[in-house]
Amino acid sequence: MSSPKAKEKKLWGGRFAAGTAASVEAFTASIEIDARLYRHDIMGSIAHAKMLAKQRIIPAREAQKIVRGLKIIQTEIERGIFPFSPTDEDIHMNIERRLTEKIGAAGGMLHTARSRNDQVALDMRLFLREEVRLIIEAVKSLQRELAGTAKRHIDVIMPGYTHLQRAQPVLLAHHLLAYFDMFDRDRQRLVDCLGRINVLPLGSGALAGTTFPIDRAHVAKLLGFPRVSKNSIDAVSDRDFLLEFVAASSILFVHLSRLAEEWVLWSSQEFSFIELPDGYCTGSSMMPQKKNPDVPELIRAKTGRVFGHLQALLTIMKGLPLAYNRDLQEDKTPLFDTVDTVKASLQMMREIVQGVKVKRERMLAAAQDGFMNATDLADYLVQRGVPFRSAHEIAGRVVQYCIGRGQRIAELALNELKRFSSKIEKDVYRYLSVEAVVGRRRALGGTARSNVLRRLKELRV
Ligand code: ARG
């Protein structure tokens, strides 16, 4: 057992005869992690102090001192000269102690009608609100890059896949815009989540509210919150907004990881569909010929990290009795790391999309192989009255015949084709080129160039 230190003056020390054990101090302190909330903590405290003065809960002169003191503290932190102390547990108490050191007794008035429980809930909301807005912008930038790349390569045809087997030719632009749509949903989820982050919890006190005649609407206005929480118990114990954000980030990472994985494959010699920019790849210490796609690989891997954070947060919250519990302090590491990982990965993905070199000849050659016009041969027969099931069977036999002879469907002579069905005429060849196969998928949402061009025009980011 680590022996209690001589009793130090804690901001909450009144009730205690002995000091905190050194081991406990180390175990419970969060200052290393939550120092990052300093700006939001100060912003919240300034609004709170102004409201307290307006309501005549504290004298205006002391409130002014508090505001001035807090601003000085902010510059101290930003200049790296703030004396952080682990004895003060977290950022909230570090700042409050420093405030009293600087402005004397007036500093002790700041915490009137407030608890660290509603304070930390506020700081987390202020922090996340700012970050989510930045992340929404980062998603938009990635979307713009995808749309730009799609536009520049509007005539590039590649194989579309199912089961990772060549299935039907598609426009590369159509494939890229699939990701555009995924990221669009991610953006909508984040915007939606922002609405629930943007609620003021301050004024809930420790859990039951406060006896002071505070004006919560005023604080909300000062801090730009469109809404104020309605239940003090919920307000101090709710972390749904973090869960939602990390869940939305996890889905975003599902998408990032799929794109990353495809580009790892596409940049391999087996596919050789793209070349990643040199500056975004690394070599091997042993094999001189290697050019490794480390950035998409790491984005793929960081997905696991973010999923892990979601699991951690869900588990922290599960079964927690109301209202505040110290468990909630453990929300910070997973949240902060999710924010950092999402921002860094979106940025890297955007840069890679920007720098990618498309090997259009390789894509086209791959699209011409693999009998991807077999569906179109079947559709052709259907147009001439053959039931689809029989048409499918006929086209299948044509493919089998071609495989045996090492030929493409379009390379067969008309009389050869006619042996499979008398309905086949000379015009069949017009249906078999990859360009025709792509261009005929004009139904809404299909890969036809006209569709993709229209979609590119209507995109708004
Ligand atoms: N460091 C704490 C946290 O991050 C602040 C709130 C502490 N409240 C308390 N009653 N101990 O959750």
Side-chain angles (χ1 to χ4, degrees), residues 12 28-31 34 37 89-93 115-118 120 124 206 239 324-332:
W12 40 255
T28 56
S30 60
I31 183 63
D34 61 26
L37 294 173
E89 244 178 75
D90 56 24
I91 187 65
H92 324 292
M93 295 213 285
S115 151
R116 261 187 305 153
N117 300 349
D118 55 351
V120 72
M124 293 294 270
R239 295 293 183 273
Y324 179 85
N325 300 272
R326 191 63 181 270
D327 308 49
L328 295 179
Q329 179 171 293
E330 286 291 313
D331 62 359
K332 299 194 182 47

Side-chain angles (χ1 to χ4, degrees), residues 328-388:
L328 295 179
Q329 179 171 293
E330 286 291 313
D331 62 359
K332 299 194 182 47
T333 310
L335 176 70
F336 293 165
D337 191 64
T338 300
V339 164
D340 295 341
T341 307
V342 169
K343 282 163 75 179
S345 302
L346 281 170
Q347 163 83 10
M348 290 316 284
M349 192 51 101
R350 191 188 67 71
E351 291 180 25
I352 289 212
V353 174
Q354 188 178 37
V356 75
K357 214 181 116 240
V358 170
K359 298 183 175 171
R360 59 176 66 221
E361 302 306 328
R362 285 277 316 174
M363 284 191 174
L364 182 63
Q368 277 162 341
D369 271 344
F371 308 104
M372 288 193 293
N373 47 6
T375 313
D376 291 68
L377 177 58
D379 289 354
Y380 171 89
L381 290 166
V382 169
Q383 279 172 32
R384 273 145 198 80
V386 181
F388 180 75

Side-chain angles (χ1 to χ4, degrees), residues 149-436:
T149 307
K151 207 176 273 176
R152 281 195 305 280
H153 297 90
I154 186 65
D155 53 348
V156 176
I157 296 178
M158 60 171 274
Y161 294 84
T162 66
H163 312 263
L164 200 56
Q165 307 286 325
R166 287 179 193 166
Q168 290 175 340
V170 294
L171 291 186
L172 168 66
H174 195 52
H175 190 98
L176 292 176
L177 291 184
Y179 284 100
F180 184 101
D181 282 2
M182 294 179 222
F183 293 127
D184 223 45
R185 292 193 294 276
D186 291 320
R187 201 154 56 83
Q188 288 165 26
R189 267 185 284 274
L190 289 167
V191 169
D192 191 51
C193 165
L194 193 54
R196 278 179 295 274
I197 296 172
N198 219 354
V199 180
L200 175 82
L202 197 70
S204 302
L207 78 161
T210 174
T211 57
F212 293 97
I214 57 172
D215 181 350
R216 298 188 64 203
H218 185 66
V219 178
K221 204 167 134 215
L222 291 177
L223 294 173
F225 282 102
R227 289 194 291 146
V228 172
S229 64
K230 298 283 161 50
N231 183 299
S232 59
I233 296 176
D234 180 42
V236 293
S237 61
D238 169 40
R239 295 293 183 273
D240 290 2
F241 61 104
L242 304 185
L243 295 176
E244 279 189 48
F245 165 71
V246 181
S249 300
S250 296
I251 302 176
L252 168 63
F253 258 100
V254 168
H255 302 149
L256 284 173
S257 74
R258 295 180 79 174
L259 181 54
E261 165 68 3
E262 285 194 337
W263 285 27
V264 169
L265 285 172
W266 288 10
S267 63
S268 71
Q269 279 167 38
E270 280 65 19
F271 275 84
S272 201
F273 282 181
I274 55 172
E275 183 163 348
L276 297 174
D278 270 6
Y280 292 78
C281 295
T282 63
S284 155
S285 53
M286 188 182 193
M287 301 164 283
Q289 83 284 10
K290 288 301 287 289
K291 179 173 167 186
N292 296 326
D294 300 44
V295 173
E297 289 175 285
L298 283 169
I299 291 173
R300 190 172 61 185
K302 283 176 195 294
T303 306
R305 228 161 113 161
V306 172
F307 289 6
H309 293 324
L310 176 61
Q311 194 58 44
L313 281 172
L314 287 167
T315 311
I316 289 167
M317 297 311 294
K318 178 188 173 293
L320 261 196
L322 302 181
Y324 179 85
N325 300 272
R326 191 63 181 270
D327 308 49
L328 295 179
Q329 179 171 293
E330 286 291 313
D331 62 359
K332 299 194 182 47
T333 310
L335 176 70
F336 293 165
D337 191 64
T338 300
V339 164
D340 295 341
T341 307
V342 169
K343 282 163 75 179
S345 302
L346 281 170
Q347 163 83 10
M348 290 316 284
M349 192 51 101
R350 191 188 67 71
E351 291 180 25
I352 289 212
V353 174
Q354 188 178 37
V356 75
K357 214 181 116 240
V358 170
K359 298 183 175 171
R360 59 176 66 221
E361 302 306 328
R362 285 277 316 174
M363 284 191 174
L364 182 63
Q368 277 162 341
D369 271 344
F371 308 104
M372 288 193 293
N373 47 6
T375 313
D376 291 68
L377 177 58
D379 289 354
Y380 171 89
L381 290 166
V382 169
Q383 279 172 32
R384 273 145 198 80
V386 181
F388 180 75
R389 274 296 147 226
S390 319
H392 185 282
E393 165 76 22
I394 293 165
R397 278 193 276 116
V398 173
V399 168
Q400 198 187 33
Y401 177 80
C402 286
I403 292 172
R405 302 170 53 99
Q407 281 183 305
R408 292 180 179 154
I409 300 175
E411 285 165 4
L412 300 183
L414 183 59
N415 61 350
E416 272 177 299
L417 281 169
K418 271 190 177 298
R419 270 188 251 145
F420 294 90
S421 166
S422 58
K423 298 275 160 76
I424 299 180
E425 297 297 341
K426 210 168 107 213
D427 64 347
V428 73
Y429 295 103
R430 280 199 281 116
Y431 289 75
L432 295 178
S433 73
V434 277
E435 289 79 10

